[in-house]
Each structure stands twice: as C-alpha cells, then as structure tokens.
Amino acid sequence: MDLRIFTEPQQGASYETLLSVAKATEDLGFDAFFRSDHYLPMGSADGLPGPTDAWITLAALARETKRIRLGTLMTAGTFRLPGVLAIQVAQVDQMSGGRVELGLGAGWFEEEHQAYGIPFPKDKFARLEEQLAIVTGLWETEAGKTFSYDGTHYQLTDSPALPKPAQAKLPVLIGGHGAKRTPRLAARYADEFNIPFASLEDTATQFGRVRAALTEAGRGEDDLVYSNALIVCVGKDDAEVARRAAAIGREVDELKANGLAGSPAEVVDKIGRYAAVGSSRFYLQVMDLDDLDHLELISSQVRSQLS
C-alpha cells in the first residue's frame, strides 16, 4: 500500500514551504510527493505569496531529494504544448535519477486561464488525446529515429524526439470521473488510473469501467495501478482532529464522510475499504502545509499499520 503526499500550492505556499514538506515526505517514509498544477487559488484562500509552477518546483525538488517519487495530479494540458512538456518532464526525470511520474489532464479551471492569459479551448479532451499520443510517442521513439505526428490540433515533423527520460518507461497517470472517454484513454496510455475525491461506490464503479476498457483494448485488468486522491485530516484524539479541520476551514463530519479523517484507526479502516474495491495507492491531500506534525502522525500511526 503506497501513501503519497499531495499538495495544492495554489492555495498559498512558497517554494521553501513545499521543500520542507517534500523533505518531510522523504524522511517520514512516504512513497512520493505530488502537487497540483494550478495558478489561481480556489474558494476563499488568498493564495499568498502567489502561484508556483509545477514543473519548475519538481525540477528543484528533484535535486533536493533522493528517494521519493515526484509528480503532478494533474498537469493541465492547456498550459503547455505537448512537445515542450515532453522535454520538460524528461529533463526533470533525468535530474531526479528516474523518479518522475506524469499525471496529465485536460485542464478545467477557466478562471485561472483568464487571469494569466492562457487560451481555454472548447475541445480540451480531443487535445488531451493528441497530447498523450505525442508525449508518449516522443519518449518511445528509438534513439536515432524521428517522430512525426499529424493531428487535428498538433503537428510535429521529423522531431529528434529528445531528450529521453531516465526511466525506460516513465509512468503516465490518467484520472477522473468520466464514464466513457476517460477509461478509454486510460486503457490506451496510462500506467495508473486515479480517481479524485470519490466515494467508495463511485470508486468501485469507475474502476470497473476502466477494467472493462482495458479488456476491450487487449490489456489485462491488472495492468494499471488503481489509486484514490482524498483529503486527509488525522488526529490522535477528537480535539486534535477538530483543530486540524478548523485550520483548513472544514467540518469534521464532512471530512469523515468525504475523505480520510478521524483517528489513525478510523483512517486505516477506511483505507482498507477502498483497498477492497481495488485501490492500492492513496494520494493524501494535505491542505495545511505548515503542520508537519500531521505528516509525522500519519507516518507513525497510519502508514506503519499499512506497510
């Protein structure tokens, strides 16, 4: 069972804060540090001191960490051209010694595009499919050969398809709640399927759709890692849970219903219920990035029981 720390820096975090969390992630035995790819805060957060770029952050962390995996949930396909993204991710993978994973999604938050002058096309999903074909195609092209692609949205001609990632197969994550196109894309391109902020019932349903799509594509149902992303709020007692919930502006009962919240025993039990429907990896959405004691408690009282 993999437990990964998942951060939302657009809500307000400097690089120094993210570095502290990443180092704690490594020191406390978690599997990976992941971050969102957004430029505008959501809800009532002020976002200070301002956004940090996902792949610039991960490049720096690649040189400051030794063991943990590094990646995005999810890189917005609207933010980068696919050829440029392939170069960026491959370079960060080299810088990390082969510890990078790419979560790639269509992009959805229109307001941040408006705020920073980023085009927000209507046909985002069709673009995502071409982006996946290009990024994976560039990486898979044999050294010394070229890659060309003639799509509706992107055209590449005789690309040298360089650089290559350090890993022979850099893992690609695809996720979401879509009933038809998302499972089909996962079956074609993904190494991992992630469903964010979903109930047990919705998780089981979506995993079933992905398994069916894998079968249709001629792949085995267990060819993918199946994972969940869920908010986490753990305390050694009720008072500590309530304090941590208040710090992130959430109610305890709501967190218990929709995330991994409560005592370590409660969280271990709920993780077990998700594992029963097929999840083997959890991205723990940590919203208070200054509360490193929270990570220590999760490591010593939750992770230790699942390892």
Side-chain angles (χ1 to χ4, degrees), residues 181-193:
R181 293 187 297 177
T182 297
R184 177 178 57 81
L185 275 191
R188 184 170 181 183
Y189 294 108
D191 301 285
E192 177 178 339
F193 182 80

Side-chain angles (χ1 to χ4, degrees), residues 6 26 31 43 53 55 74 98 106-107 135 140 153 164 188-189 195-196 198 200 214 248 256 258 262 266 268 273 283:
F6 171 43
E26 182 157 270
D31 180 61
D53 182 83
W55 285 101
M74 299 283 186
V135 170
E140 292 168 0
H153 304 285
K164 303 298 186 191
R188 184 170 181 183
Y189 294 108
I195 184 164
L200 279 163
L214 286 164
I248 59 174
K256 287 187 176 184
N258 298 311
E266 288 178 288
V268 168
R273 283 181 274 154
Y283 293 84

Side-chain angles (χ1 to χ4, degrees), residues 37-39 53 55 74-82 84-85 88 102-114 116-129 131-132 135 153-154:
D37 190 14
H38 287 293
Y39 293 137
D53 182 83
W55 285 101
M74 299 283 186
T75 287
T78 48
F79 287 177
R80 298 165 180 87
L81 296 170
V84 175
L85 180 63
Q88 291 171 323
L102 171 63
L104 184 58
W108 62 270
F109 190 16
E110 186 172 5
E111 288 84 352
E112 69 186 339
H113 294 74
Q114 294 171 345
Y116 286 97
I118 303 167
F120 190 70
K122 293 181 179 180
D123 51 354
K124 294 183 295 300
F125 202 91
R127 290 173 181 269
L128 173 62
E129 188 162 8
Q131 290 162 350
L132 286 162
V135 170
H153 304 285
Y154 305 101

Side-chain angles (χ1 to χ4, degrees):
M1 184 68 67
D2 291 339
L3 296 186
R4 297 181 160 194
I5 299 303
F6 171 43
T7 62
E8 301 271 10
Q10 77 279 353
Q11 299 302 95
S14 65
Y15 170 72
E16 287 74 18
T17 296
L18 295 173
L19 176 60
S20 295
V21 174
K23 287 186 172 181
T25 297
E26 182 157 270
D27 293 343
L28 293 169
F30 293 100
D31 180 61
F33 173 94
F34 270 58
R35 59 158 292 164
S36 60
D37 190 14
H38 287 293
Y39 293 137
L40 204 66
M42 301 166 199
S44 60
D46 59 24
L48 295 174
T52 50
D53 182 83
W55 285 101
I56 290 176
T57 298
L58 294 176
L61 295 179
R63 307 303 294 175
E64 297 282 357
T65 58
K66 302 296 183 184
R67 177 188 59 80
I68 51 173
R69 308 289 293 177
L70 301 165
T72 50
L73 282 182
M74 299 283 186
T75 287
T78 48
F79 287 177
R80 298 165 180 87
L81 296 170
V84 175
L85 180 63
I87 292 170
Q88 291 171 323
V89 177
Q91 182 180 4
V92 179
D93 194 49
Q94 292 175 0
M95 293 167 70
S96 73
R99 294 183 285 122
V100 162
E101 303 181 11
L102 171 63
L104 184 58
W108 62 270
F109 190 16
E110 186 172 5
E111 288 84 352
E112 69 186 339
H113 294 74
Q114 294 171 345
Y116 286 97
I118 303 167
F120 190 70
K122 293 181 179 180
D123 51 354
K124 294 183 295 300
F125 202 91
R127 290 173 181 269
L128 173 62
E129 188 162 8
E130 292 193 12
Q131 290 162 350
L132 286 162
I134 292 166
V135 170
T136 58
L138 287 167
W139 291 340
E140 292 168 0
T141 298
E142 293 181 19
K145 296 185 177 181
T146 61
F147 175 83
S148 297
Y149 184 86
D150 186 17
T152 301
H153 304 285
Y154 305 101
Q155 296 81 40
L156 285 75
T157 303
D158 295 332
S159 171
L162 296 171
K164 303 298 186 191
Q167 299 171 86
K169 178 68 174 73
L170 191 149
V172 172
L173 290 72
I174 295 174
H177 295 259
K180 295 181 180 179
R181 293 187 297 177
T182 297
R184 177 178 57 81
L185 275 191
R188 184 170 181 183
Y189 294 108
D191 301 285
E192 177 178 339
F193 182 80
N194 177 268
I195 184 164
F197 315 117
S199 67
L200 279 163
E201 295 75 17
D202 289 346
T203 296
T205 298
Q206 188 69 333
F207 285 177
R209 291 173 181 144
V210 174
R211 291 188 182 101
L214 286 164
T215 299
E216 186 175 345
R219 296 177 67 183
E221 292 185 0
D222 296 326
D223 279 0
L224 299 187
V225 173
Y226 296 88
S227 64
N228 286 86
L230 293 161
I231 191 167
V232 66
C233 181
V234 186
K236 62 180 181 295
D237 52 35
D238 289 345
E240 191 166 83
V241 175
R243 176 177 63 78
R244 288 199 163 109
I248 59 174
R250 303 282 286 268
E251 297 293 331
V252 172
D253 289 345
E254 179 267 323
L255 287 170
K256 287 187 176 184
N258 298 311
L260 299 173
S263 68
E266 288 178 288
V267 171
V268 168
D269 176 73
K270 193 163 187 181
I271 286 174
R273 283 181 274 154
Y274 276 96
V277 301
S279 190
S280 63
R281 179 172 290 162
F282 293 85
Y283 293 84
L284 307 179
Q285 186 196 42
V286 176
M287 299 304 294
D288 185 354
L289 299 183
D290 294 317
D291 185 3
L292 298 183
D293 289 340
H294 191 199
L295 299 188
E296 196 284 327
L297 178 66
I298 297 168
S299 176
S300 65
Q301 300 297 319
V302 177
R303 187 191 64 83
S304 62
Q305 295 188 56
L306 298 169
S307 60

